[in-house]
Amino acid sequence: MGRANHLVEGLSGTGKSSVCRELTRRGFQAVDGDRELAYPGDPETGAPLAVSGRDDHVWDVAKVRALVADQREEVTFFCGGSRNFPAFVDAFDTVLVLEVDLATLHRRLDARPDEHWRDGRPTDRALVTRWHRTKETVPAGVAIDATAPLDQVVDEVLRRCGVVPRSDAS
């Protein structure tokens, strides 16, 4: 994918998919990991699970590593969250973590249809609140304030990765 590969992570509702779409719109190679790499699986073994649970949103590690190894593009951004990030986080040049305050997070989740969370089940607010407090489901990385307007968030992502912004590809 890219000679430089960057991971954009964060909790549900922090803006990973929006950042991915904006990077693509601006002409960058961006992979929406939640749509292109994710499946319900055991975070330790990667074994697929027949029924999705609370903590089983994982990425296909072999596919992540294969995409990272393909260096046709100058830079690629992988956007999304996974519970098995320890199995592949070392493949990335930069790890960025989108962060928002709890009130913003709940407001964004309120605006989403249920099908964006766990196969149409209502968002588990207690779980999301715990994850926000503990940060147990996101890797360590460069914190990005994702409460700013999207264009500013993406500009900051690019700046933190040492990538020169491209003119709008509108």
Side-chain angles (χ1 to χ4, degrees):
M1 279 281 170
R3 289 184 289 280
N5 294 282
H6 308 286
L7 177 62
V8 179
E9 253 272 16
L11 293 175
S12 294
T14 56
K16 300 176 302 293
S17 293
S18 296
V19 165
C20 190
R21 284 189 299 273
E22 179 63 12
L23 287 165
T24 300
R25 190 191 69 74
R26 291 187 188 193
F28 290 100
Q29 177 82 12
V31 175
D32 187 333
D34 291 339
R35 288 178 176 66
E36 299 175 43
L37 301 170
Y39 64 94
D42 182 297
E44 298 297 319
T45 67
L49 300 173
V51 178
S52 182
R54 295 285 186 206
D55 236 1
D56 61 5
H57 184 82
V58 300
W59 285 7
D60 182 325
V61 175
K63 191 170 183 180
V64 170
R65 291 197 178 276
L67 290 171
V68 166
D70 177 358
Q71 299 194 348
R72 288 179 277 183
E73 295 287 328
E74 185 174 327
V75 62
T76 301
F77 296 90
F78 289 71
C79 305
S82 71
R83 302 302 162 258
N84 64 333
F85 66 81
F88 57 79
V89 72
D90 63 300
F92 293 98
D93 298 289
T94 309
V95 176
L96 304 126
V97 179
L98 302 181
E99 295 184 347
V100 298
D101 58 87
L102 193 56
T104 299
L105 181 63
H106 284 297
R107 189 175 63 252
R108 288 180 180 180
L109 292 174
D110 287 343
R112 288 175 140 184
D114 279 339
E115 58 267 14
H116 278 86
W117 171 264
R118 295 295 182 195
D119 304 320
R121 287 182 270 166
T123 303
D124 183 335
R125 295 308 173 100
L127 185 62
V128 171
T129 299
R130 185 185 91 213
W131 288 345
H132 184 271
R133 181 177 37 80
T134 65
K135 302 193 184 332
E136 67 193 77
T137 62
V138 293
V142 177
I144 302 290
D145 177 5
T147 61
L150 180 60
D151 61 328
Q152 292 175 23
V153 173
V154 173
D155 287 346
E156 182 66 5
V157 165
L158 294 171
R159 186 182 77 72
R160 293 297 190 115
C161 293
V163 176
V164 177
R166 296 179 181 166
S167 60
D168 281 357
S170 305

